[in-house]
Amino acid sequence: MQDAELKFVLAGPVGAGKTTTLQSLSDIAPVSTEMPLTDGPMGDKTTTTVALDFAPIILDDGTPLQMFGLPGQEHLAHMREIVMVDALGVVLLLPGDDPNITDQCLKWISSVRGINAEVPFVIGISKTDITPGFRMDTIRCALRDNPVPVFTIDARDREQSAHLVRALLLLID
Amino acid sequence: MLFDIRIAALEDLAEQRVRLAVSLLLADRLRAKVNPWDGTRCHLLVADADDAYGRQALRLALRRGTLVIALGYRAENLGLKPTSPLSTAQMLSREMRTLLEGLALQDEPAPQESSVPQAKIGVGPKVRPVICRLASSQMRGKPYNINCNGRIVLLCPDSGRAYASSHSDLLAVVEGISDSTIERPAPVSVAKMVSCSVEAFLLRAADRAGDRLPNFPQGRFRLEVWPDLGSVPLLLDALKIAKLLTQKAMTPQELRQTKVYDIDPGALNACLWGLAAANLLVDAVPAVQKTTIVSPTRTTVMPAPRKRVKPGIWSSIARRFGLSSC
């Protein structure tokens, strides 16, 4: 019987910061499937992931920890079930500047739970520093039946991204 | 007095933490500069005891009677108390402060700790630290302005955000929390303000207040939600405390004595005050109905039934992400 491969998955809608988070976490440039947005830039976002992102993080004993970033588009939703097979944990990223962030949060939790009801997950919310109207209480209220860690982070910051993973590890512990 | 701190044989991350720790000394009015060790005399040497060059520097410093902080577990071979190489900047800063304050007292008899003993004893509400006042039942959960020499941060526990005119205002008030005043806020639009997590703000401020905080009151407490710790990745102990208190109600003593995680007592005290000020800490109720609500994340304790993971791998992953006590 083979030992399971080690895999964490980054999930979330378009523009949440999955690719950015993966880039900040990995030691080497991740394999990326970024292409220019066909409808033009969305603010600072000029590209989108058209398949998935991947980066191995090599542990101190040489074992690779595989980090996969799921595409956020709905027409690529079929990939989620494939990529999430045997995932040890999921980091769900949400964009803080989305006015429908609560709906997105519940939708993605339902999607993740629909694939694997027991996989532990944490939630990272990006761009709250540029969203004065962001409120944490609405997210917590929506999650009162799922008391998971919800952290506001800067996806570009390696330490903040790693802190999300630390919270995930403590859930698994 | 400007302290001369030297570093020897430190890895990049350790050096960053040391430099950050030195900058944190400013809040206690201890000025210091950091330079590579070149064999000349200094006030304090921070060196890697697991490195041959670092050990050589430590030996020379010890012969001269220089204060030292030895990172690494081979410090014991030199007769030194080892400091974990993964110590956070706050922990290093505390250690430096303890060592350097002794030197400062030798040169400047005027006490630097004049504000500390009163706060520790908790004499009267007038000298109660700001964080403790915000944690009181009268003030908890309500919006307030924190004013530090004209720099103002608006705390909104209900929305979970802290607002200010600029990021430097946020930082300045965190650093100067002990010298701040609390004011009732006037109605204001936050549309053009910068913001951060109110929990992260209060936890950072409590951590800065450090030894000025009295011991957290006895009681059994828990967390109903995880605090927002995303922007305070250096407060590792806060993460561990959050994990423990979301699982079950515990007393401060039980948290101190937990063997699972190595939680610094000072960090624990500050964290509890910060969580209370953020209105997240809940007095435990005897009936534990709430904590037994079935949640997929709470029941997912071990992935072993689903997949087999090589022994020791979780420790490797924890080390990789800087969670050494996981």
Side-chain angles (χ1 to χ4, degrees):
Chain A
M1 180 178 173
Q2 272 188 323
D3 286 329
E5 57 187 16
L6 303 176
K7 182 197 295 184
F8 285 149
V9 171
L10 279 70
V14 174
K18 300 182 294 297
T19 303
T20 305
T21 300
L22 195 61
Q23 286 169 347
S24 63
L25 281 174
S26 62
D27 299 319
I28 58 175
V31 173
S32 173
T33 55
E34 293 285 290
M35 293 295 287
L37 288 163
T38 50
D39 292 336
M42 291 163 47
D44 291 338
K45 183 172 175 64
T46 57
T47 61
T48 192
T49 304
V50 295
L52 52 81
D53 296 323
F54 169 75
I57 293 177
I58 307 301
L59 304 177
D60 52 18
D61 64 352
T63 307
L65 170 63
Q66 300 176 1
M67 305 285 291
F68 286 89
L70 293 177
Q73 299 92 331
E74 278 308 307
H75 61 267
L76 295 173
H78 61 279
M79 296 182 61
R80 295 174 196 166
E81 196 166 339
I82 301 167
V83 176
M84 276 190 56
V85 167
D86 285 341
L88 298 173
V90 173
V91 175
L92 174 55
L93 288 161
L94 300 167
D97 59 355
D98 184 345
N100 300 315
I101 185 174
T102 308
D103 293 338
Q104 285 280 12
C105 179
L106 294 173
K107 191 184 86 174
W108 275 90
I109 290 175
S110 175
S111 175
V112 168
R113 285 273 175 263
I115 297 170
N116 185 337
E118 292 183 2
V119 69
F121 68 92
V122 297
I123 297 175
I125 304 178
S126 59
K127 305 178 195 173
T128 55
D129 55 329
I130 58 170
T131 314
F134 173 76
R135 294 180 66 104
M136 185 62 109
D137 55 340
T138 53
I139 303 285
R140 285 186 173 143
C141 188
L143 290 174
R144 58 181 173 275
D145 295 329
N146 278 294
V148 296
V150 182
F151 291 178
T152 54
I153 65 160
D154 182 342
R156 299 161 299 181
D157 187 300
R158 182 186 177 115
E159 277 301 306
Q160 292 188 25
S161 299
H163 214 47
L164 264 180
V165 179
R166 289 180 200 126
L168 184 60
L169 290 172
L170 286 178
L171 283 187
I172 296 170
D173 185 24
Chain B
M1 181 180 184
L2 181 65
F3 291 105
D4 186 2
I5 298 177
R6 306 290 179 89
I7 54 176
L10 298 183
E11 291 184 359
D12 288 348
L13 282 177
E15 183 180 332
Q16 282 178 23
R17 283 197 287 269
V18 168
R19 288 185 182 276
L20 192 57
V22 170
S23 67
L24 294 176
L25 291 173
L26 278 173
D28 297 297
R29 298 188 180 90
L30 293 174
R31 293 165 54 236
K33 59 177 181 175
V34 180
N35 284 305
W37 187 75
D38 60 0
T40 56
R41 290 185 182 276
C42 59
H43 292 115
L44 171 67
L45 169 67
V46 183
D48 185 349
D50 292 338
D51 178 270
Y53 178 74
R55 284 197 297 278
Q56 185 66 15
L58 287 165
R59 282 193 198 97
L60 183 57
L62 286 170
R63 270 210 299 276
R64 290 174 177 164
T66 304
L67 297 170
V68 300
I69 292 177
L71 301 181
Y73 304 103
R74 295 178 73 171
E76 287 173 337
N77 298 346
L78 299 169
L80 294 168
K81 174 178 147 278
T83 298
S84 168
L86 298 175
S87 292
T88 62
Q90 296 93 293
M91 292 159 78
L92 287 171
S93 187
R94 278 194 203 106
E95 203 171 342
M96 286 180 190
R97 190 178 69 215
T98 305
L99 292 169
L100 294 174
E101 278 180 348
L103 279 182
L105 283 173
Q106 287 168 21
D107 279 337
E108 297 170 13
Q112 291 186 351
E113 311 129 357
S114 54
S115 62
V116 174
Q118 289 175 344
K120 267 190 151 340
I121 296 169
V123 176
K126 285 185 187 172
V127 295
R128 256 190 118 199
V130 166
I131 292 292
C132 299
R133 290 166 59 201
L134 289 171
S136 65
S137 53
Q138 300 95 319
M139 299 185 84
R140 202 182 301 174
K142 295 175 184 160
Y144 285 102
N145 277 343
I146 308 298
N147 188 330
C148 179
N149 299 322
R151 293 180 184 259
I152 296 175
V153 171
L154 169 62
L155 302 181
C156 295
D158 56 343
S159 66
R161 306 299 288 175
Y163 300 92
S165 301
S166 65
H167 288 291
S168 60
D169 279 2
L170 284 171
L171 187 58
V173 174
V174 164
E175 295 293 321
I177 193 74
S178 299
D179 301 319
S180 299
T181 56
I182 303 174
E183 303 164 352
R184 288 214 178 274
V188 65
S189 168
V190 298
K192 292 195 175 155
M193 289 188 165
V194 299
S195 70
C196 70
S197 159
V198 73
E199 292 130 46
F201 177 90
L202 289 167
L203 284 167
R204 254 201 306 260
D207 188 70
R208 290 305 299 124
D211 291 345
R212 295 181 182 87
L213 296 174
N215 290 333
F216 196 78
Q218 285 305 309
R220 190 167 290 276
F221 308 99
R222 60 185 172 85
L223 289 170
E224 290 184 331
V225 295
W226 277 76
D228 178 3
L229 302 172
S231 55
V232 284
L234 295 181
L235 299 184
L236 277 178
D237 284 336
L239 192 65
K240 298 169 190 174
I241 293 163
K243 147 85 174 188
L244 290 169
L245 290 180
T246 49
Q247 281 187 319
K248 64 174 183 176
M250 297 177 78
T251 65
Q253 187 176 6
E254 287 168 350
L255 285 165
R256 264 194 303 277
Q257 292 172 348
T258 179
K259 289 183 174 45
V260 178
Y261 303 124
D262 183 22
I263 298 175
D264 175 75
L268 168 63
N269 194 54
C271 181
L272 290 175
W273 279 114
L275 291 173
N279 199 29
L280 290 182
L281 211 57
V282 176
D283 283 322
V285 265
V288 292
Q289 241 175 349
K290 281 200 172 183
T291 57
T292 57
I293 289 175
V294 174
S295 160
T297 54
R298 286 180 190 268
T299 57
T300 306
V301 174
M302 296 284 287
R306 290 171 284 119
K307 53 187 75 68
R308 198 180 79 192
V309 179
K310 200 166 68 175
I313 209 69
W314 293 114
S315 299
S316 286
I317 298 175
R319 278 195 302 275
R320 171 61 179 76
F321 287 98
L323 200 61
S324 56
S325 304
C326 182

PDB file of all heavy atoms in Angstrom, chain B residues 108-126:
ATOM      1  N   GLU B 108      22.335  54.771  33.982  1.00  0.00           N
ATOM      2  CA  GLU B 108      21.339  55.810  34.223  1.00  0.00           C
ATOM      3  C   GLU B 108      20.476  55.380  35.391  1.00  0.00           C
ATOM      4  O   GLU B 108      19.555  54.604  35.219  1.00  0.00           O
ATOM      5  CB  GLU B 108      20.467  55.981  32.983  1.00  0.00           C
ATOM      6  CG  GLU B 108      21.264  56.447  31.781  1.00  0.00           C
ATOM      7  CD  GLU B 108      20.425  56.377  30.522  1.00  0.00           C
ATOM      8  OE1 GLU B 108      19.201  56.202  30.620  1.00  0.00           O
ATOM      9  OE2 GLU B 108      21.008  56.495  29.431  1.00  0.00           O
ATOM     10  N   PRO B 109      20.747  55.875  36.551  1.00  0.00           N
ATOM     11  CA  PRO B 109      19.998  55.437  37.731  1.00  0.00           C
ATOM     12  C   PRO B 109      18.507  55.709  37.632  1.00  0.00           C
ATOM     13  O   PRO B 109      17.726  55.055  38.269  1.00  0.00           O
ATOM     14  CB  PRO B 109      20.601  56.258  38.882  1.00  0.00           C
ATOM     15  CG  PRO B 109      21.883  56.800  38.355  1.00  0.00           C
ATOM     16  CD  PRO B 109      21.776  56.863  36.883  1.00  0.00           C
ATOM     17  N   ALA B 110      18.079  56.678  36.820  1.00  0.00           N
ATOM     18  CA  ALA B 110      16.645  56.967  36.716  1.00  0.00           C
ATOM     19  C   ALA B 110      15.928  55.720  36.236  1.00  0.00           C
ATOM     20  O   ALA B 110      16.291  55.153  35.217  1.00  0.00           O
ATOM     21  CB  ALA B 110      16.422  58.111  35.723  1.00  0.00           C
ATOM     22  N   PRO B 111      14.935  55.253  36.961  1.00  0.00           N
ATOM     23  CA  PRO B 111      14.288  53.978  36.628  1.00  0.00           C
ATOM     24  C   PRO B 111      13.509  54.080  35.323  1.00  0.00           C
ATOM     25  O   PRO B 111      12.886  55.083  35.049  1.00  0.00           O
ATOM     26  CB  PRO B 111      13.347  53.728  37.806  1.00  0.00           C
ATOM     27  CG  PRO B 111      13.089  55.079  38.378  1.00  0.00           C
ATOM     28  CD  PRO B 111      14.302  55.906  38.111  1.00  0.00           C
ATOM     29  N   GLN B 112      13.615  53.015  34.536  1.00  0.00           N
ATOM     30  CA  GLN B 112      12.830  52.965  33.317  1.00  0.00           C
ATOM     31  C   GLN B 112      11.519  52.251  33.529  1.00  0.00           C
ATOM     32  O   GLN B 112      10.695  52.201  32.653  1.00  0.00           O
ATOM     33  CB  GLN B 112      13.613  52.225  32.239  1.00  0.00           C
ATOM     34  CG  GLN B 112      14.816  53.006  31.768  1.00  0.00           C
ATOM     35  CD  GLN B 112      15.481  52.316  30.606  1.00  0.00           C
ATOM     36  OE1 GLN B 112      15.155  51.215  30.274  1.00  0.00           O
ATOM     37  NE2 GLN B 112      16.439  52.983  29.997  1.00  0.00           N
ATOM     38  N   GLU B 113      11.367  51.617  34.697  1.00  0.00           N
ATOM     39  CA  GLU B 113      10.176  50.797  34.906  1.00  0.00           C
ATOM     40  C   GLU B 113       9.128  51.517  35.722  1.00  0.00           C
ATOM     41  O   GLU B 113       8.281  50.921  36.308  1.00  0.00           O
ATOM     42  CB  GLU B 113      10.538  49.489  35.593  1.00  0.00           C
ATOM     43  CG  GLU B 113      11.699  48.774  34.932  1.00  0.00           C
ATOM     44  CD  GLU B 113      12.754  48.410  35.958  1.00  0.00           C
ATOM     45  OE1 GLU B 113      12.584  48.765  37.131  1.00  0.00           O
ATOM     46  OE2 GLU B 113      13.737  47.797  35.577  1.00  0.00           O
ATOM     47  N   SER B 114       9.173  52.863  35.780  1.00  0.00           N
ATOM     48  CA  SER B 114       8.279  53.563  36.696  1.00  0.00           C
ATOM     49  C   SER B 114       6.826  53.295  36.385  1.00  0.00           C
ATOM     50  O   SER B 114       5.988  53.287  37.256  1.00  0.00           O
ATOM     51  CB  SER B 114       8.549  55.053  36.656  1.00  0.00           C
ATOM     52  OG  SER B 114       8.473  55.500  35.319  1.00  0.00           O
ATOM     53  N   SER B 115       6.476  53.088  35.122  1.00  0.00           N
ATOM     54  CA  SER B 115       5.058  52.899  34.810  1.00  0.00           C
ATOM     55  C   SER B 115       4.636  51.461  35.015  1.00  0.00           C
ATOM     56  O   SER B 115       3.469  51.167  35.099  1.00  0.00           O
ATOM     57  CB  SER B 115       4.810  53.316  33.363  1.00  0.00           C
ATOM     58  OG  SER B 115       5.561  52.489  32.513  1.00  0.00           O
ATOM     59  N   VAL B 116       5.592  50.540  35.110  1.00  0.00           N
ATOM     60  CA  VAL B 116       5.231  49.125  35.118  1.00  0.00           C
ATOM     61  C   VAL B 116       4.664  48.638  36.441  1.00  0.00           C
ATOM     62  O   VAL B 116       3.606  48.049  36.467  1.00  0.00           O
ATOM     63  CB  VAL B 116       6.444  48.267  34.705  1.00  0.00           C
ATOM     64  CG1 VAL B 116       6.121  46.793  34.847  1.00  0.00           C
ATOM     65  CG2 VAL B 116       6.844  48.590  33.272  1.00  0.00           C
ATOM     66  N   PRO B 117       5.334  48.904  37.566  1.00  0.00           N
ATOM     67  CA  PRO B 117       4.837  48.286  38.813  1.00  0.00           C
ATOM     68  C   PRO B 117       3.393  48.667  39.110  1.00  0.00           C
ATOM     69  O   PRO B 117       2.606  47.846  39.534  1.00  0.00           O
ATOM     70  CB  PRO B 117       5.787  48.805  39.884  1.00  0.00           C
ATOM     71  CG  PRO B 117       7.001  49.197  39.148  1.00  0.00           C
ATOM     72  CD  PRO B 117       6.543  49.667  37.814  1.00  0.00           C
ATOM     73  N   GLN B 118       3.028  49.934  38.871  1.00  0.00           N
ATOM     74  CA  GLN B 118       1.667  50.336  39.200  1.00  0.00           C
ATOM     75  C   GLN B 118       0.672  49.574  38.349  1.00  0.00           C
ATOM     76  O   GLN B 118      -0.344  49.106  38.827  1.00  0.00           O
ATOM     77  CB  GLN B 118       1.507  51.843  38.972  1.00  0.00           C
ATOM     78  CG  GLN B 118       2.253  52.652  40.006  1.00  0.00           C
ATOM     79  CD  GLN B 118       2.199  54.130  39.709  1.00  0.00           C
ATOM     80  OE1 GLN B 118       1.877  54.535  38.609  1.00  0.00           O
ATOM     81  NE2 GLN B 118       2.524  54.945  40.683  1.00  0.00           N
ATOM     82  N   ALA B 119       0.979  49.445  37.080  1.00  0.00           N
ATOM     83  CA  ALA B 119       0.049  48.720  36.223  1.00  0.00           C
ATOM     84  C   ALA B 119      -0.046  47.263  36.645  1.00  0.00           C
ATOM     85  O   ALA B 119      -1.103  46.666  36.628  1.00  0.00           O
ATOM     86  CB  ALA B 119       0.493  48.818  34.771  1.00  0.00           C
ATOM     87  N   LYS B 120       1.096  46.685  37.051  1.00  0.00           N
ATOM     88  CA  LYS B 120       1.084  45.288  37.461  1.00  0.00           C
ATOM     89  C   LYS B 120       0.214  45.094  38.682  1.00  0.00           C
ATOM     90  O   LYS B 120      -0.515  44.130  38.799  1.00  0.00           O
ATOM     91  CB  LYS B 120       2.511  44.835  37.770  1.00  0.00           C
ATOM     92  CG  LYS B 120       3.224  44.202  36.580  1.00  0.00           C
ATOM     93  CD  LYS B 120       4.484  43.596  37.064  1.00  0.00           C
ATOM     94  CE  LYS B 120       4.995  42.417  36.318  1.00  0.00           C
ATOM     95  NZ  LYS B 120       4.201  41.645  35.505  1.00  0.00           N
ATOM     96  N   ILE B 121       0.320  46.052  39.656  1.00  0.00           N
ATOM     97  CA  ILE B 121      -0.482  45.926  40.865  1.00  0.00           C
ATOM     98  C   ILE B 121      -1.930  46.243  40.550  1.00  0.00           C
ATOM     99  O   ILE B 121      -2.841  45.765  41.197  1.00  0.00           O
ATOM    100  CB  ILE B 121       0.069  46.866  41.970  1.00  0.00           C
ATOM    101  CG1 ILE B 121       1.481  46.410  42.359  1.00  0.00           C
ATOM    102  CG2 ILE B 121      -0.831  46.878  43.179  1.00  0.00           C
ATOM    103  CD1 ILE B 121       2.223  47.405  43.224  1.00  0.00           C
ATOM    104  N   GLY B 122      -2.143  47.033  39.526  1.00  0.00           N
ATOM    105  CA  GLY B 122      -3.517  47.358  39.148  1.00  0.00           C
ATOM    106  C   GLY B 122      -4.143  48.313  40.113  1.00  0.00           C
ATOM    107  O   GLY B 122      -5.269  48.125  40.544  1.00  0.00           O
ATOM    108  N   VAL B 123      -3.397  49.356  40.469  1.00  0.00           N
ATOM    109  CA  VAL B 123      -3.918  50.283  41.460  1.00  0.00           C
ATOM    110  C   VAL B 123      -4.909  51.216  40.810  1.00  0.00           C
ATOM    111  O   VAL B 123      -4.537  52.109  40.073  1.00  0.00           O
ATOM    112  CB  VAL B 123      -2.758  51.105  42.063  1.00  0.00           C
ATOM    113  CG1 VAL B 123      -3.305  52.136  43.020  1.00  0.00           C
ATOM    114  CG2 VAL B 123      -1.779  50.181  42.761  1.00  0.00           C
ATOM    115  N   GLY B 124      -6.193  51.028  41.059  1.00  0.00           N
ATOM    116  CA  GLY B 124      -7.213  51.971  40.653  1.00  0.00           C
ATOM    117  C   GLY B 124      -7.383  52.063  39.151  1.00  0.00           C
ATOM    118  O   GLY B 124      -6.489  51.757  38.389  1.00  0.00           O
ATOM    119  N   PRO B 125      -8.506  52.499  38.734  1.00  0.00           N
ATOM    120  CA  PRO B 125      -8.808  52.554  37.302  1.00  0.00           C
ATOM    121  C   PRO B 125      -7.960  53.573  36.571  1.00  0.00           C
ATOM    122  O   PRO B 125      -7.783  53.496  35.379  1.00  0.00           O
ATOM    123  CB  PRO B 125     -10.293  52.937  37.260  1.00  0.00           C
ATOM    124  CG  PRO B 125     -10.569  53.594  38.562  1.00  0.00           C
ATOM    125  CD  PRO B 125      -9.656  52.967  39.549  1.00  0.00           C
ATOM    126  N   LYS B 126      -7.398  54.588  37.270  1.00  0.00           N
ATOM    127  CA  LYS B 126      -6.676  55.627  36.570  1.00  0.00           C
ATOM    128  C   LYS B 126      -5.434  55.087  35.899  1.00  0.00           C
ATOM    129  O   LYS B 126      -5.018  55.574  34.867  1.00  0.00           O
ATOM    130  CB  LYS B 126      -6.278  56.736  37.548  1.00  0.00           C
ATOM    131  CG  LYS B 126      -7.413  57.630  37.954  1.00  0.00           C
ATOM    132  CD  LYS B 126      -6.945  58.770  38.827  1.00  0.00           C
ATOM    133  CE  LYS B 126      -8.140  59.527  39.335  1.00  0.00           C
ATOM    134  NZ  LYS B 126      -7.770  60.529  40.326  1.00  0.00           N
TER     135      LYS B 126
END
